[in-house]
Amino acid sequence: MTKFEQFELVYNQFTNLTKEINEFIDMEEYDIANEKLSSRNKLVQKLFNIKKTINLSEEDSQKLILIEREIKENEYKNLEALKKKQCELGAEIKNTKKKVKVSAAYNKNSSQSQGIIFDAFE
């Protein structure tokens, strides 16, 4: 197996793992996605190490450019998905805070309007 074939093999593993992470993000399974990121980081390190040691032909250079472009596109898609989820969660947090404030305001008023029972016969 040549170095470039090893690179392609690791790249395929990386691509599959990236798609899997994106699916976990879509399912809002952030803990699992976060655990997978450590494996992804190891694969990225392997890709860099193999790339440093490869002597490329012209054809392999063209393939490498396409592979790197695909990696960038996939990472950009994942980043955009995370930014979208972050905005959605931020909006939900703001909405929840407003509801809590309104609820707290009504709870204060309702407890103050209730009287104390006083037994005048004692």
Side-chain angles (χ1 to χ4, degrees):
M1 179 179 281
T2 66
K3 288 278 188 183
F4 191 75
E5 289 172 343
Q6 287 178 341
F7 183 84
E8 288 181 316
L9 180 66
V10 174
Y11 165 72
N12 288 333
Q13 291 173 345
F14 175 81
T15 303
N16 292 336
L17 188 59
T18 302
K19 289 177 183 176
E20 191 176 331
I21 290 170
N22 198 16
E23 289 172 5
F24 284 124
I25 290 170
D26 289 341
M27 294 185 306
E28 297 182 4
E29 295 288 340
Y30 302 114
D31 292 333
I32 298 171
N34 192 34
E35 290 172 9
K36 298 284 184 179
L37 284 176
S38 65
S39 299
R40 182 181 94 34
N41 292 339
K42 289 177 185 175
L43 288 175
V44 168
Q45 189 62 43
K46 279 185 184 180
L47 286 171
F48 282 132
N49 291 337
I50 294 171
K51 184 179 174 185
K52 287 179 186 178
T53 60
I54 295 177
N55 292 328
L56 297 173
S57 66
E58 185 64 33
E59 181 182 331
D60 291 344
S61 293
Q62 294 301 321
K63 286 181 183 178
L64 183 63
I65 290 171
L66 292 174
I67 288 171
E68 289 178 343
R69 186 175 299 144
E70 287 178 32
I71 289 173
K72 287 178 185 177
E73 288 173 1
N74 287 337
E75 290 300 308
Y76 181 76
K77 287 177 186 177
N78 282 346
L79 185 60
E80 289 300 313
L82 286 172
K83 284 181 181 179
K84 182 180 174 186
K85 294 287 183 184
Q86 182 182 20
C87 289
E88 290 173 1
L89 289 174
E92 286 181 32
I93 288 172
K94 283 182 183 179
N95 193 15
T96 302
K97 284 182 180 179
K98 287 178 184 177
K99 288 179 181 178
V100 167
K101 284 182 182 179
V102 169
S103 177
Y106 280 112
N107 286 338
K108 285 180 185 177
N109 290 337
S110 64
S111 65
Q112 290 175 355
S113 65
Q114 294 177 354
I116 299 174
I117 299 176
F118 180 72
D119 189 5
F121 294 111
E122 287 185 350

